Amino acid sequence: MIAVIVVKVFAYNWDWYTGMMFGAIVSTTDPFMTSTLLRNLGTAKALPLLVEGESLFGDGASYIMFDAFKNVATDLVPFEGSQFAVRMILQILGSPLFGFIMAKFVMFWLSYIFNDGLIEITISLATAYITFYVAQWLGMSGVIAVLMVGLFLDIVNFSPEVEVFLLRFWEMLTYLANTLIFFIVGIVVSRAFQNLALNDFFNIIVLYFAVYIIRLITIVVFSPVLVHIGYGFKWQWASVCVWGSTKGAFCLSLTLMAFQEERLEEGRVREKILLLASGVVVLALLINATTLTKFLELLGLCDVSMAKRMAMYSAVHRVTESSQNTLSMLKIDRFLADANWEIAEQRVHVEDPYKTSTEEVSIEDFSPTARMTKCPDCENNIPYVPSTRERDDMMEEARMRVLKAQKTSYWKQYSSGMLTRQAARTLISIADHLSDLKGKFITVQDVKKYWELKGFFVIALRKLEDWLYNVKVDKLKPSRHPWLTLCYQMVFSASFEYFVYVLILLNIFPIILEFRPEINRDLELQVLNYIFCSCYVLEAVLKALAMRRAYIFNHWNQFDLFIIFMSAVDIYIETQFGLSEINIQMIKIVRVFKMFRLTRALRLVKIMIPKMIEVLNRQISKQLSFGYDIGKGYVIGEEDISKIIDHISDDKSISRELKSILEKNRQEGARALGFLQRDHPEIAISVKTRQAIRAVLNSERDTIHSLMSGGLLDEVEVSKLQQMIEIKMKKLTKFPPTISAPTAEELLQSLPWLSKDAAQIQFFKRVAQLLFYDFGDIIIQANDPPSGIHLIVSGMVKITGRSPDLGSRKVKEKQHHIDYRSCGTILGELNCLTQQPMEVTITSETATQTCLIPIDSLLEAFDVFPEFPSLEYKIWLSLAVKISTTAIMENIIYQGWTYRKICNHLAKAYLVDLEINHKLNIYDGTMDDVVVVYGSCDDLQSLSSYNAPTLISRTTHQIVGTANLTKLLIVPSASAEAKDSSSSELEKKNSLPCLRHAAQRRSSRNTASGMLKTVVSDDSLAGRSQESLKVVEQKLMSSMKLEH
């Protein structure tokens, strides 16, 4: 339609090809400003995606039309429809295909590069240029090809450390390109103004209105179709698509390309295209871009929903709380103590961006704790209950935030080395897909399909295994007859098999010579054929005598019989008709049967089948490894999101519903993952080992960066260390997909609280018991006293019951929960330490094997190994770190931290016991964090209570123990003096008395704290190992000497 206007209305005497080319130029749109504004206003996610997607494919189609009609308009040869059709097919179909191939090639290339920013940036830049120029050279569209590369490549394809640098690099290139294009057009337009006429101004205004009217008509015509597909379509969205379609750099780029085409007439075509196109761009920027915000307000798209207001209110509240904590810590700093804190608090105050002066209702009214309404009967204030529509909107907003948080969790797992690149990309794409489906969450069915064994590889493997192992040798028993026994031993020997293969190879050469007419050796070749056929018959007879009835049921034997039969027919035909004069038809039959002799070489495939099976097994192992990686990342993501649900939604009913959904998905995912590990334990061990290596290497690299930033290493030394780590990371690409499962002894040695102590490991090897359970057997019964620590060696167990009792004086509502655990899990540690009844029932979900450390032997070990750090302290510390990790991840301050970073943060933490009514000063400059891992305490200043597990606020400076036993995990600051003093203090606190007095102290402590009483009699002491008594006697003697 634009071509009709410029050709028929404007007096430029353009032909239709030039008009179509110009129409393609002004049909392009630039959605950057519109989409940015829509996202800042918080409108529906579908609208900016719709605007960007329409511009993306619209600009691609416009470029194809521009290129096609530019070539036609500048071609001196008459127009030919066939050439034009071939060119359009290449650009429409060939360009996306070539872009897809280039994207896959670059993805494969990047998979072998680790954390090399310069190389990865160079690859990304070179890919764009190479793809564009090669596509143009092949007659395709370089723009469409590069577009497809960008669609398939995302940030997950690159190393996590390069992410920020890569984004900033391309943002800078984009900015420079846009600036350069506008600058060049401004210079070129100044030349065109020399031939500017008054009529051109009128044409620009007419063209501006025509472009938007035509766009409006097009959208109205297609709106009935758009309403029923995709995201749907509203009249407000249609208005935004029309008015928000500003023109920008891409339109000016096509304008410059047309202006530089020398085969177009300069004054009549090139300069007019430049004037009209740049004029439309300027009008669109001056009118549409400046009025777009007011236009969206008129449409009601700037109105923020209640769910978004509540989420923003909650976020601002938490930011304010965090700033108060920081101010409280800074007030005790010796250099900042005399700062003007009143001015500081005023300057750091964060306002709610959704609160305006024209609002009649304050944002506080949207808080679920403050929203009240009046009863129509008694006029009392009652809690406001949102309507069904409001609750649905709030639930949908919370669902979108959950999916966004899940993608963040997957990315953090990938950054920390706990998730592979392909697995992270797959999980993020699943979350993106489900974000478009209202009310949908990621379920185990969405990820389970990635480790289900199906497809070509599985079918081919089954067929090959069926061919190779159809008759098992170990099931065949040799006959009692001596001759048959001899045949059995001969047939199933390796020498006989190799002899047959050599015979087949020798037979191939005379078969090939028969097809060479210049070699006149028919008689010799015929004799050789008889000899080889006789050998095949002899082989079949020997196998039949050895295998007897089972011979005919083997597929390879059936194939051998077929070859023998065809050889016999071939010999018969050659004998009867080979030396006589026969007709042409019989000659063809003889040649066909000679061709069948080549099938004898197919028996050599049997040698290749084991290798083919090995290759298929490797591919299936990679698929299972990839599936296990996805499943593990999914389960960890569900666990991470469950900890921050209260921060995602302030509405309690929605929070409970979200927790229920996520907990159900986590349970199903853990169960499916456990069955996968049961069926393929070597796959799971390989994935876990590879992830552990990657996580440790990442930690080593972070340590190297910290040493360099602290001035302890120079750049040369850092480069050498980093190179060593990069080499080790590259070796992970060839990491074996399967690793044999560890034995019970190996798992026992790798217990975190044994710390590779040879004496302790040897002690537990002597006392540990290996237990076996069938499906449904009860391993641990709830409310029973602890029998010891169970270490799962193989299989999967189901854990049902309430959450563990952490010694808090406040009785919390304990919810019934279900969980699944597999190999390597430690069960019963906390209950053995506190000697409280078990809170859960653990049943065997599959055939399970556990290694049991009896509680009596564990208590004995506590007394045998009292040196600091004692065994009891190390078990408590291991549990404290595990509990603190969960408590810290639930805190909003640490939401951006990865699991590896939190573990590094807790690496130097230590435990402190706080008895009841005893005080302790905290956050005195020597502590970064204090976590209550067992028991409870109160803040003496604010009188707020902290019940385990919880992270104590940094505004607290003195606490008092309120439980019989309270254990605090303290994360020290970087001060070396603090670490030294804490170590000496711990050595004093954790020194233990002799065996007899230790038992008496434990008994009295348990009685006072309400724990189960443990009675240690003289008989039980006498029954302990002689080795432990010798150790105690030595310590008694040494202590007596010190006293004297």
Side-chain angles (χ1 to χ4, degrees):
M1 298 178 70
I2 294 176
V4 173
I5 295 175
V6 296
V7 172
K8 295 297 184 181
V9 177
F10 295 170
Y12 294 145
N13 296 324
W14 288 356
D15 55 24
W16 285 105
Y17 302 139
T18 305
M20 293 293 292
M21 179 186 67
F22 179 77
I25 293 175
V26 296
S27 296
T28 59
T29 58
D30 187 358
F32 177 76
M33 186 177 299
T34 304
S35 61
T36 303
L37 182 59
L38 290 173
R39 285 191 171 89
N40 292 336
L41 294 175
T43 56
K45 177 186 175 183
L47 183 54
L49 289 178
L50 184 67
V51 172
E52 292 174 349
E54 186 268 340
S55 175
L56 191 65
F57 289 97
D59 290 354
S62 297
Y63 179 79
I64 291 176
M65 299 301 295
F66 167 79
D67 189 56
F69 284 104
K70 180 175 73 69
N71 293 332
V72 175
T74 58
D75 197 352
L76 301 177
V77 181
F79 175 77
E80 292 186 6
S82 59
Q83 294 183 357
F84 183 79
V86 170
R87 188 178 300 169
M88 294 299 292
I89 291 174
L90 279 176
Q91 295 198 354
I92 296 175
L93 300 179
S95 302
L97 179 60
F98 178 72
F100 173 78
I101 294 173
M102 287 296 297
K104 290 299 181 181
F105 172 74
V106 174
M107 290 165 62
F108 175 77
W109 190 1
L110 289 173
S111 64
Y112 289 92
I113 299 174
F114 298 96
N115 303 326
D116 196 329
L118 185 60
I119 292 181
E120 295 187 35
I121 295 295
T122 304
I123 289 175
S124 67
L125 182 62
T127 300
Y129 279 94
I130 292 174
T131 303
F132 180 85
Y133 285 112
V134 172
Q136 291 290 121
W137 179 69
L138 295 175
M140 304 176 186
S141 172
V143 174
I144 301 299
V146 174
L147 170 64
M148 294 303 297
V149 172
L151 287 177
F152 284 99
L153 279 178
D154 52 25
I155 195 63
V156 185
N157 295 107
F158 298 87
S159 301
E161 291 76 7
V162 188
E163 174 194 7
V164 177
F165 183 33
L166 182 68
L167 292 177
R168 295 293 179 268
F169 175 78
W170 281 103
E171 286 177 0
M172 179 59 67
L173 282 185
T174 304
Y175 173 76
L176 292 176
N178 286 331
T179 304
L180 190 61
I181 288 172
F182 277 93
F183 184 74
I184 293 175
V185 169
I187 295 176
V188 176
V189 167
S190 62
R191 291 178 49 194
F193 268 97
Q194 298 176 359
N195 300 324
L196 181 66
L198 183 62
N199 190 36
D200 293 331
F201 283 106
F202 177 76
N203 291 341
I204 291 174
I205 297 174
V206 171
L207 184 62
Y208 168 78
F209 285 102
V211 166
Y212 285 96
I213 291 174
I214 293 171
R215 185 172 178 81
L216 174 62
I217 294 173
T218 305
I219 291 178
V220 169
V221 169
F222 287 98
S223 59
V225 180
L226 297 175
V227 170
H228 297 91
I229 61 175
Y231 297 107
F233 205 61
K234 304 176 182 178
W235 69 270
Q236 293 96 335
W237 293 9
S239 303
V240 173
C241 290
V242 174
W243 193 252
S245 60
T246 57
K247 313 297 177 183
F250 192 65
C251 179
L252 295 178
S253 300
L254 298 183
T255 303
L256 287 177
M257 292 174 64
F259 182 77
Q260 293 176 350
E261 184 58 55
E262 296 180 354
R263 287 176 292 181
L264 293 174
E265 186 178 345
E266 181 176 2
R268 186 173 59 91
V269 178
R270 292 162 56 188
E271 291 185 356
K272 298 303 180 183
I273 289 177
L274 181 63
L275 285 174
L276 294 178
S278 58
V280 171
V281 171
V282 171
L283 288 179
L285 294 176
L286 290 177
I287 299 175
N288 298 60
T290 56
T291 61
L292 186 58
T293 303
K294 292 294 183 183
F295 184 74
L296 294 175
E297 292 178 357
L298 291 176
L299 295 176
L301 296 176
C302 293
D303 298 336
V304 183
S305 64
M306 186 185 70
K308 289 183 177 294
R309 289 175 178 270
M310 290 177 61
M312 181 59 71
Y313 172 80
S314 176
V316 172
H317 177 71
R318 292 188 176 90
V319 170
T320 304
E321 182 181 355
S322 176
S323 65
Q324 292 299 323
N325 292 338
T326 306
L327 287 171
S328 177
M329 293 295 296
L330 293 177
K331 287 179 182 179
I332 64 175
D333 187 275
R334 57 173 179 166
F335 295 108
L336 303 178
D338 57 345
N340 193 324
W341 296 109
E342 183 178 355
I343 296 177
E345 290 177 358
Q346 293 176 357
R347 295 296 180 91
V348 301
H349 180 65
V350 178
E351 295 288 344
D352 194 325
Y354 290 157
K355 187 176 181 179
T356 61
S357 58
T358 58
E359 286 184 316
E360 298 179 358
V361 182
S362 63
I363 193 66
E364 286 78 6
D365 293 337
F366 289 96
S367 172
T369 58
R371 299 193 71 193
M372 305 292 291
T373 186
K374 288 187 177 181
C375 176
D377 297 330
C378 61
E379 296 186 356
N380 290 330
N381 290 331
I382 59 175
Y384 175 78
V385 179
S387 63
T388 304
R389 182 174 180 180
E390 288 178 336
R391 193 181 185 284
D392 291 342
D393 293 340
M394 293 164 60
M395 185 65 187
E396 182 63 18
E397 180 66 24
R399 184 189 73 89
M400 296 297 297
R401 293 179 184 273
V402 166
L403 291 175
K404 185 177 180 180
Q406 285 175 327
K407 292 192 292 184
T408 303
S409 174
Y410 303 147
W411 175 252
K412 288 195 296 184
Q413 292 181 56
Y414 167 61
S415 301
S416 60
M418 301 304 292
L419 202 61
T420 61
R421 182 178 299 177
Q422 185 66 24
R425 186 191 308 116
T426 302
L427 288 170
I428 291 174
S429 64
I430 293 174
D432 287 333
H433 171 69
L434 292 178
S435 63
D436 299 334
L437 305 178
K438 187 174 182 179
K440 295 292 184 180
F441 292 87
I442 304 179
T443 63
V444 68
Q445 301 300 327
D446 297 320
V447 298
K448 190 177 179 180
K449 59 185 178 181
Y450 290 99
W451 69 71
E452 291 180 344
L453 293 178
K454 56 183 180 180
F456 169 76
F457 292 123
V458 179
I459 297 175
L461 179 63
R462 290 173 181 172
K463 291 293 184 183
L464 291 176
E465 288 180 343
D466 187 37
W467 290 347
L468 189 63
Y469 308 114
N470 182 259
V471 178
K472 295 185 178 179
V473 177
D474 54 358
K475 290 185 178 181
L476 294 175
K477 297 182 180 180
S479 176
R480 297 180 180 178
H481 196 279
W483 289 102
L484 297 181
T485 304
L486 180 62
C487 293
Y488 180 89
Q489 295 175 353
M490 183 187 301
V491 166
F492 292 107
S493 64
S495 302
F496 182 83
E497 195 79 10
Y498 293 145
F499 174 77
V500 173
Y501 291 147
V502 172
L503 188 68
I504 296 172
L505 288 173
L506 294 176
N507 191 196
I508 292 176
F509 294 102
I511 293 176
I512 296 175
L513 293 177
E514 289 186 359
F515 292 93
R516 300 292 300 272
E518 64 272 11
I519 300 177
N520 190 12
R521 297 288 183 177
D522 295 339
L523 183 59
E524 292 83 350
L525 293 175
Q526 188 177 15
V527 172
L528 287 175
N529 185 33
Y530 294 160
I531 295 173
F532 283 112
C533 289
S534 302
C535 293
Y536 295 148
V537 172
L538 179 61
E539 177 204 4
V541 171
L542 292 175
K543 285 186 175 181
L545 293 175
M547 302 176 66
R548 301 184 301 280
R549 295 182 180 179
Y551 173 80
I552 196 64
F553 297 104
N554 187 279
H555 296 311
W556 288 105
N557 295 337
Q558 295 171 3
F559 183 65
D560 292 344
L561 291 177
F562 171 76
I563 291 178
I564 292 173
F565 173 76
M566 297 303 298
S567 300
V569 175
D570 176 34
I571 293 173
Y572 174 77
I573 294 177
E574 188 178 31
T575 304
Q576 294 296 324
F577 306 102
L579 302 176
S580 59
E581 293 184 2
I582 54 178
N583 54 27
I584 301 300
Q585 192 67 23
M586 289 305 302
I587 293 176
K588 292 181 179 180
I589 294 175
V590 171
R591 289 180 178 176
V592 168
F593 275 93
K594 284 187 177 182
M595 290 289 294
F596 269 107
R597 296 182 186 178
L598 292 173
T599 58
R600 301 174 187 176
L602 295 178
R603 297 185 59 187
L604 295 174
V605 176
K606 190 176 181 180
I607 307 176
M608 303 170 57
I609 286 182
K611 291 295 182 182
M612 295 170 64
I613 291 176
E614 183 180 350
V615 172
L616 291 175
N617 277 324
R618 191 179 299 112
Q619 293 297 325
I620 292 175
S621 297
K622 289 182 179 179
Q623 178 185 348
L624 291 173
S625 177
F626 174 65
Y628 187 87
D629 205 8
I630 288 179
K632 183 173 176 290
Y634 168 71
V635 173
I636 293 176
E638 297 298 296
E639 292 176 353
D640 292 344
I641 306 306
S642 298
K643 298 170 185 175
I644 60 172
I645 284 297
D646 293 332
H647 303 298
I648 291 178
S649 175
D650 288 332
D651 189 89
K652 293 183 178 180
S653 62
I654 293 179
S655 297
R656 285 194 297 267
E657 185 176 351
L658 289 175
K659 287 181 179 178
S660 176
I661 294 173
L662 293 176
E663 180 62 20
K664 180 182 177 182
N665 292 338
R666 188 196 64 80
Q667 292 176 10
E668 293 178 352
R671 188 169 185 268
L673 209 61
F675 283 123
L676 176 60
Q677 183 168 354
R678 179 203 63 180
D679 298 334
H680 307 279
E682 67 283 353
I683 300 293
I685 299 300
S686 174
V687 173
K688 294 177 181 179
T689 306
R690 185 180 68 247
Q691 291 178 351
I693 295 173
R694 181 66 185 271
V696 174
L697 290 176
N698 285 338
S699 178
E700 291 177 350
R701 187 176 53 202
D702 293 342
T703 304
I704 293 172
H705 287 307
S706 300
L707 294 175
M708 183 181 67
S709 61
L712 300 179
L713 290 175
D714 57 22
E715 294 183 357
V716 177
E717 295 168 338
V718 170
S719 176
K720 292 181 179 179
L721 291 174
Q722 282 184 338
Q723 187 177 6
M724 293 174 59
I725 293 178
E726 295 300 329
I727 292 174
K728 295 181 181 297
M729 283 190 173
K730 288 181 180 180
K731 291 181 180 179
L732 290 179
T733 58
K734 299 180 180 180
F735 197 76
T738 58
I739 296 179
S740 59
T743 61
E745 183 177 348
E746 293 173 344
L747 287 174
L748 194 63
Q749 292 176 356
S750 61
L751 286 175
W753 32 266
L754 289 183
S755 305
K756 297 183 179 179
D757 190 307
Q760 296 179 10
I761 292 174
Q762 191 64 31
F763 177 87
F764 284 114
K765 282 183 180 179
R766 181 169 50 83
V767 301
Q769 303 172 7
L770 205 57
L771 305 178
F772 297 88
Y773 300 92
D774 290 331
F775 171 74
D777 289 349
I778 297 178
I779 302 175
I780 296 176
Q781 180 65 50
N783 300 321
D784 283 354
S787 60
I789 295 178
H790 285 267
L791 175 62
I792 301 178
V793 179
S794 63
M796 183 176 64
V797 299
K798 180 180 181 181
I799 304 175
T800 56
R802 62 184 189 273
S803 56
D805 184 10
L806 296 179
S808 173
R809 65 171 182 171
K810 181 180 178 181
V811 180
K812 296 182 179 180
E813 180 184 356
K814 296 185 178 181
Q815 300 178 352
H816 185 81
H817 72 281
I818 301 175
D819 201 359
Y820 297 89
R821 297 298 172 89
S822 56
C823 178
T825 303
I826 307 172
L827 305 172
E829 287 175 301
L830 181 61
N831 296 86
C832 288
L833 290 172
T834 62
Q835 300 186 40
Q836 291 187 355
M838 302 299 299
E839 296 91 355
V840 295
T841 297
I842 301 177
T843 57
S844 179
E845 194 74 5
T846 63
T848 306
Q849 182 182 8
T850 67
C851 180
L852 173 65
I853 301 175
I855 188 170
D856 293 336
S857 301
L858 183 66
L859 297 177
E860 181 182 357
F862 290 166
D863 298 325
V864 173
F865 305 104
E867 298 89 353
F868 178 80
S870 64
L871 178 63
E872 184 178 5
Y873 172 80
K874 289 191 291 185
I875 298 178
W876 267 114
L877 182 62
S878 177
L879 282 172
V881 171
K882 188 186 304 182
I883 295 171
S884 301
T885 301
T886 303
I888 288 177
M889 292 181 69
E890 291 177 352
N891 194 283
I892 193 67
I893 300 175
Y894 296 97
Q895 287 304 305
W897 285 34
T898 61
Y899 178 78
R900 177 172 55 84
K901 189 175 181 180
I902 293 176
C903 292
N904 293 337
H905 181 62
L906 299 175
K908 297 181 180 180
Y910 58 90
L911 272 175
V912 170
D913 292 345
L914 181 64
E915 297 182 1
I916 189 170
N917 297 328
H918 283 220
K919 299 178 182 179
L920 179 67
N921 295 326
I922 59 174
Y923 293 123
D924 54 356
T926 63
M927 307 174 185
D928 285 341
D929 284 312
V930 180
V931 184
V932 183
V933 296
Y934 190 84
S936 60
C937 60
D938 287 347
D939 184 353
L940 289 178
Q941 182 178 0
S942 64
L943 300 180
S944 57
S945 298
Y946 296 102
N947 299 284
T950 184
L951 177 65
I952 298 180
S953 173
R954 293 181 180 177
T955 58
T956 303
H957 299 292
Q958 191 176 45
I959 57 176
V960 60
T962 57
N964 292 328
L965 177 63
T966 300
K967 286 188 175 291
L968 305 174
L969 185 75
I970 298 178
V971 182
S973 61
S975 173
E977 296 180 359
K979 288 187 284 185
D980 293 341
S981 62
S982 64
S983 299
S984 61
E985 181 183 356
L986 282 173
E987 290 180 1
K988 294 178 182 179
K989 288 188 176 184
N990 287 274
S991 60
L992 296 179
C994 65
L995 178 62
R996 184 180 299 275
H997 290 90
Q1000 293 175 359
R1001 178 177 295 186
R1002 184 179 295 109
S1003 177
S1004 61
R1005 183 175 69 241
N1006 293 347
T1007 305
S1009 60
M1011 300 179 184
L1012 290 179
K1013 182 178 180 180
T1014 304
V1015 179
V1016 183
S1017 63
D1018 294 338
D1019 296 335
S1020 63
L1021 289 175
R1024 295 191 176 181
S1025 63
Q1026 296 296 326
E1027 180 184 356
S1028 62
L1029 291 177
K1030 289 180 180 179
V1031 174
V1032 175
E1033 289 175 0
Q1034 293 175 1
K1035 293 189 176 295
L1036 283 172
M1037 296 297 295
S1038 61
S1039 62
M1040 291 173 64
K1041 289 179 181 179
L1042 290 174
E1043 290 177 359
H1044 290 298

